Amino acid sequence: LRMSPHKSVSVVVLALVAVFFLSAPCHAYLPVVMMHGIDGSAQDFAPMVKNIQKTHPGTLTLSLPLFQGVESFLPMEYQTEHVMRYLKNLVHNNSSFANGWHLVCHSQGALLCRSVIENWDNHNINTFISLAGPHLGQFGTDFPVLYNITTEEAYLILYTPIAQDTFSVAGYWHDPRHEQDYLKSCRFLPNLNNVLNDSITPSFKTNFLLLQQLVLLGSNGDGVISPWFSSMFSFWDEHLNLVPMQDQPIFTNDTFGLKTLYNSRRLSYSYPPGVYHTDWLSNFTLYQTYIEPWLI
């Protein structure tokens, strides 16, 4: 069987095109690691894993099976140490993480993930997405195991050494009416925010600035994080007036790199109204609008 010269050329061209598409690598999405909140579990992120696979098929996803249920009440420093050890082992033994990866964390888990980021030298986390994280602390008792105490008396309990040594929330309980007690007795969050003059850790800022993107998500309909705008690095002053992120000392003094990320356009924040605390984990519209665009 003989072909005409024109048909022969067409066959060669088609063959070359086929070889190109077979050899050209398809787009590979970066891995996504997720961390649940207080009293939660890895299963909390099951809806988001499903959404990620729907929009970005083939993405390597992992919801961390660590500090679930009552174990999530253990001290934040202890959780930081063990989560970081687990992630280092995961990343160093899996080539899929070589080009970077994303971290999506909810509630207390977002604060825990920020602690991991600041403590991890030379990490290659690309994007950190914080879902309703109490980054400037919690000052409300709509929170697990805090239902039986009031905000007026909570600091007397939570700022004691025994509470600081045993209870995660004590490490980020922030009573703005007792700011000096917070700075003196609360061990985790003031240290993480690098605001203690006698224990500044330069590497916290260095490590935080390794992020390519920080995404902050929260809502006035949260119902759990109080004030809800703690998730935006805003908080109350001693008179319970809102002080926005840009006027917070952590920002103006750039204590761990927040201002630098903002000025370099690597900080994004959104606060759609009426979003309940756990809606971020399961609502597809929220995922598609505020989370999915960053998972590239």
Side-chain angles (χ1 to χ4, degrees), residues 106 109 120 128 142 150 177 243 290 294:
H106 180 241
W120 188 344
F128 170 37
D142 292 332
T150 67
R177 298 169 304 182
V243 180
Y290 300 104
W294 301 106

Side-chain angles (χ1 to χ4, degrees), residues 12 16 28-29 53 60 64 73 101 119 133 135 138 141 174 180 201 204 214 216 220 223 241 266 270-271 285 291:
V12 171
L16 289 173
Y29 297 105
Q53 294 304 326
L60 177 61
L64 294 176
F73 296 106
W101 48 289
N119 280 279
H135 289 291
Q138 171 76 6
T141 53
H174 186 179
Q180 292 309 309
T201 308
F204 283 3
L214 169 64
L216 303 175
N220 62 3
N241 297 314
R266 289 186 286 155
S270 299
Y271 40 93
T285 300
I291 301 171

Side-chain angles (χ1 to χ4, degrees), residues 212-266:
Q212 297 301 305
Q213 189 70 39
L214 169 64
V215 180
L216 303 175
L217 298 174
S219 174
N220 62 3
D222 186 278
V224 175
I225 300 302
S226 182
W228 72 267
F229 41 80
S230 180
S231 57
M232 300 288 113
F233 284 100
S234 301
F235 210 71
W236 284 313
D237 65 12
E238 66 273 20
H239 304 295
L240 302 187
N241 297 314
L242 167 64
V243 180
M245 175 184 70
Q246 289 88 341
D247 294 330
Q248 292 287 341
I250 59 163
F251 186 89
T252 56
N253 298 327
D254 206 20
T255 58
F256 60 91
L258 194 63
K259 183 178 181 180
T260 299
L261 285 181
Y262 180 85
N263 288 339
S264 60
R265 300 179 182 273
R266 289 186 286 155

Side-chain angles (χ1 to χ4, degrees), residues 117-151:
I117 291 167
E118 292 187 28
N119 280 279
W120 188 344
D121 296 339
N122 301 311
H123 69 76
N124 67 334
I125 301 167
N126 186 295
T127 300
F128 170 37
I129 302 177
S130 169
L131 309 175
H135 289 291
L136 282 192
Q138 171 76 6
F139 184 60
T141 53
D142 292 332
F143 219 60
V145 308
L146 294 180
Y147 297 123
N148 295 323
I149 61 176
T150 67
T151 54

